Amino acid sequence: METRVLIHKQDFSWKRFFLQWEWMLVLLFIAIHVMNMNLSEYYWDSANLRDATMGFLDKAFIVLPMVFIMILGDIDISVASIIALSSTVMADLYNHGVPMSFAMLICLGVGILCGFINGLLIVKFKELSAVIVTLSTMIIYRGIAYIMLEDQAAGSFPEWFSFLGWGYVGPIPFILIVFAIFAAGFGWLLHKTKFGRSVYAMGSNSTASRFSGIQVNKIKMMVFTLTGLMSAIAALFLASRMGSTRPNVATGYELDVIAMVVLGGISTAGGKGRMIGAILAIFLIGFLRYGLGLVNVQAQVLLVIIGLLLIVAVAVPKLKFGKGLSRKG
């Protein structure tokens, strides 16, 4: 027993521990807070920082399953359109007399159906990449939303529905509590279960995984269906925060989500990355947008800054001094 303990201690390396990509994100997170504090005297206010999370956590729900998709080596660019379609169906049903609670369930069902269709198409038509499939469904889903509402808004939701986007449990925003629960669940699923290990194996080598007995098609369909569900949950929070919905809601969300996942250290080639990195990237980009928004920095400048951060995320580990950075599974 003593021998095993000694070997275990020798295997641990503080150098490897601090060269993990997540520590780079922590340093960037601190740097962004320092920069924002110098730019605006109103930034470092606990109430403002707490409330700022309401502005970006709706899209954070989609980041969680997108981590699984990108570890598989795939991508889903239809998530924003699923938000638009599921929220549009919910609002339209409610405005036609359907009880709000039932309309919300239908919203979740629409998201699940859209994600299932994505997964089914990707599994059945292996010659088509996930990019092509989800690009097609992205257009279809948002097109259906436009057919339903044209260019009009729908909503007038009941007052209690606004609690999802604007409510508090004590001093903590309700959306932050819900996201923390989901983040813990998705982190456990990815890192502590056979399902998560299968996702990593498929991302590293799908063919070998198939021959080793992993149900590749079933897992892929489950991941895309789960992404549809989480997109619908994001739709509930976004519609609650806005008080209504339109066919063009969440435009560009897919790019923000993918940026957060990539910055979080998830390998675009699949098979590598950790959930904690993506979660750190959510708050990093969220507070970066919030801080620069206080001093009226143009949206185009924000895009340039986020683009530079993504270049750092991809390039630094490949540089000579960054070879030690780890993006373990």
Side-chain angles (χ1 to χ4, degrees):
M1 180 66 70
E2 290 182 6
T3 304
R4 290 184 180 178
V5 172
L6 286 173
I7 291 173
H8 180 73
K9 288 182 178 178
Q10 288 174 352
D11 287 342
F12 180 80
S13 169
W14 284 106
K15 180 179 179 181
R16 285 200 303 270
F17 178 74
F18 284 108
L19 282 176
Q20 295 177 84
W21 178 251
E22 288 76 12
W23 285 110
M24 176 71 75
L25 294 177
V26 170
L27 292 176
L28 284 173
F29 188 72
I30 294 172
I32 284 172
H33 277 302
V34 172
M35 178 189 72
N36 287 341
M37 287 169 59
N38 289 324
L39 288 175
S40 173
E41 60 181 306
Y42 302 105
Y43 177 77
W44 200 250
D45 180 279
S46 58
N48 289 342
L49 289 176
R50 178 194 62 195
D51 295 345
T53 60
M54 295 178 176
F56 60 81
L57 279 183
D58 48 0
K59 68 187 68 171
F61 287 98
I62 317 172
V63 171
L64 302 176
M66 189 68 77
V67 169
F68 284 74
I69 287 181
M70 295 191 70
I71 288 176
L72 284 174
D74 291 322
I75 199 167
D76 186 346
I77 56 176
S78 70
V79 289
S81 295
I82 295 176
I83 291 177
L85 179 57
S86 54
S87 64
T88 294
V89 171
M90 176 185 70
D92 192 54
L93 288 174
Y94 175 71
N95 291 159
H96 282 84
V98 175
M100 189 62 196
S101 56
F102 185 69
M104 291 170 66
L105 290 176
I106 297 298
C107 172
L108 299 179
V110 170
I112 291 171
L113 178 61
C114 291
F116 177 80
I117 291 171
N118 285 345
L120 184 63
L121 292 173
I122 291 168
V123 166
K124 293 298 182 182
F125 299 96
K126 293 182 174 60
E127 66 276 9
L128 297 177
S129 67
V131 175
I132 299 300
V133 170
T134 56
L135 174 63
S136 302
T137 56
M138 175 184 75
I139 298 170
I140 293 170
Y141 297 154
R142 198 173 288 275
I144 295 173
Y146 270 105
I147 290 172
M148 292 182 64
L149 291 183
E150 295 182 349
D151 204 22
Q152 304 299 313
S156 300
F157 299 124
E159 186 175 344
W160 61 263
F161 183 65
S162 64
F163 180 81
L164 291 181
W166 297 109
Y168 290 86
V169 177
I172 306 174
F174 177 69
I175 188 173
L176 181 58
I177 294 173
V178 176
F179 173 73
I181 294 171
F182 273 103
F186 273 85
W188 172 81
L189 183 64
L190 180 62
H191 297 296
K192 299 297 183 180
T193 67
K194 181 180 178 182
F195 182 85
R197 291 190 293 271
S198 298
V199 170
Y200 277 112
M202 289 169 59
S204 298
N205 193 320
S206 181
T207 303
S209 298
R210 191 185 303 274
F211 282 111
S212 66
I214 295 175
Q215 296 179 304
V216 172
N217 290 346
K218 181 180 179 181
I219 289 176
K220 188 165 289 192
M221 287 191 63
M222 290 174 66
V223 169
F224 276 91
T225 302
L226 187 59
T227 304
L229 171 62
M230 295 305 292
S231 298
I233 290 174
L236 291 177
F237 282 99
L238 180 61
S240 172
R241 189 159 56 86
M242 294 175 59
S244 64
T245 190
R246 303 174 68 97
N248 63 349
V249 296
T251 300
Y253 266 35
E254 65 278 354
L255 298 180
D256 281 350
V257 167
I258 292 169
M260 290 172 179
V261 175
V262 173
L263 182 60
I266 310 301
S267 173
T268 54
K272 294 180 181 179
R274 285 172 285 211
M275 184 63 70
I276 185 63
I279 293 171
L280 285 170
I282 290 169
F283 289 92
L284 192 155
I285 291 180
F287 283 120
L288 174 65
R289 286 183 178 276
Y290 169 68
L292 295 182
L294 289 176
V295 290
N296 297 317
V297 173
Q298 294 181 348
Q300 293 83 352
V301 176
L302 281 170
L303 291 176
V304 171
I305 294 173
I306 293 173
L308 291 174
L309 285 175
L310 291 180
I311 292 174
V312 170
V314 174
V316 167
K318 299 180 184 297
L319 297 176
K320 185 176 181 180
F321 62 86
K323 289 183 178 179
L325 289 174
S326 170
R327 296 184 178 186
K328 295 179 182 179

